[in-house]
Amino acid sequence: ASPSVKMMLASALLCAPLALAARSGGLARAPPRFGARMMATATATDGSAVPSVTFKTRVRIDSKDPNPFDWKDVSSEDLFKGKRVVLFSLPGAFTPTCSSFQLPGYEAAYEQMKALGIDDVYCLSVNDAFVMRQWGLKQGMAEDMTFGANGFTKVKLLPDGACLFTRGMGMSTTWEKERGFGERSWRYACVIDDMKVEKMFIEGGGIVQDSGPDPYEVSDAAPMLAYLESVKK
């Protein structure tokens, strides 16, 4: 075939899928861009398996550097496999309710929770490891100074900077007109027993996208302590 015929055939092959999509009611979607937001996951409930993800954390090293830390990948299994832990999640480090009530409440209740059969307590936010550490220091939390330590002596601040755990729990919400946070975690708390949700406390009864109100009634330390007391063996 002549060059002009070959060009016409190539053009027809390229246009055929678009024409077919148009006849069926819409254009075909392009593949998602790298880093595009994942599809929504069903909200975790009692009995749900927690997502297996990698957290990008910073651990203390033997160094004279002003910032004596190095990167360490920590998996969900490292934190939750074979353990019973409390995890509470909030919209953002340094924000008012999180800083004035939620984190201080769990920090104060840490020893009580340990006495009620909890191996550790984690505070999760869609922030990076640098922000989480500075928030903990600003809160006056005691930092674990041993080499290899990942955070603080009581409540551990868990960075979910890429929102992978939050999405996997079905707890992702986006604040755009309200607050301008972007994608963050809805406020909740849970007990995780060996990689499964034992008990879930979700504010407002469920996620609201771009919510005006920021409910704070069931995810604070008091309801968690009451639950742990009620199931104490």
Side-chain angles (χ1 to χ4, degrees):
S2 67
S4 60
V5 172
K6 289 181 179 179
M7 290 181 64
M8 291 173 62
L9 288 172
S11 177
L13 288 171
L14 287 170
C15 294
L18 296 175
L20 179 61
R23 287 197 298 271
S24 62
L27 292 176
R29 292 184 179 179
R33 293 176 297 171
F34 179 78
R37 187 173 173 182
M38 296 165 59
M39 292 181 65
T41 303
T43 302
T45 58
D46 297 358
S48 297
V50 300
S52 178
V53 304
T54 298
F55 297 96
K56 299 292 183 179
T57 72
R58 303 275 290 170
V59 296
R60 187 171 290 276
I61 59 175
D62 185 3
S63 171
K64 300 297 184 182
D65 190 271
N67 188 15
F69 296 89
D70 203 356
W71 291 103
K72 182 179 180 181
D73 286 356
V74 176
S75 69
S76 299
E77 287 76 10
D78 293 332
L79 301 175
F80 311 133
K81 184 76 173 173
K83 301 171 187 174
R84 186 169 180 247
V85 306
V86 165
L87 181 144
F88 63 100
S89 189
L90 38 81
F94 291 100
T95 54
T97 300
C98 311
S99 300
S100 300
F101 302 104
Q102 196 168 17
L103 178 54
Y106 277 91
E107 180 79 355
Y110 180 83
E111 297 299 343
Q112 288 175 270
M113 292 183 183
K114 293 274 286 185
L116 291 169
I118 293 300
D119 293 305
D120 225 329
V121 180
Y122 294 96
C123 170
L124 182 142
S125 181
V126 181
N127 292 111
D128 63 64
F130 296 99
V131 169
M132 295 297 273
R133 176 174 180 258
Q134 290 302 318
W135 184 37
L137 295 175
K138 183 71 173 179
Q139 290 289 112
M141 297 168 64
E143 196 168 21
D144 190 340
M145 305 298 286
T146 57
F147 300 139
N150 189 352
F152 297 86
T153 57
K154 292 185 178 181
V155 174
K156 310 302 185 295
L157 304 184
L158 194 56
D160 188 26
C163 206
L164 298 180
F165 189 86
T166 298
R167 292 172 183 167
M169 290 287 283
M171 298 302 296
S172 167
T173 184
T174 299
W175 278 279
E176 184 178 344
K177 294 178 182 177
E178 295 288 340
R179 302 175 181 83
F181 283 174
E183 187 180 11
R184 297 292 182 96
S185 173
W186 187 252
R187 197 184 300 279
Y188 70 96
C190 62
V191 178
I192 299 172
D193 188 1
D194 192 23
M195 295 290 290
K196 287 191 175 182
V197 176
E198 175 186 323
K199 183 66 176 177
M200 194 79 175
F201 300 85
I202 303 176
E203 289 295 346
I207 299 169
V208 177
Q209 296 295 325
D210 212 6
S211 176
D214 178 19
Y216 180 57
E217 297 177 352
V218 300
S219 65
D220 60 282
M224 180 61 73
L225 281 172
Y227 168 74
L228 294 174
E229 285 279 5
S230 73
V231 297
K232 181 175 62 176
K233 297 178 181 178

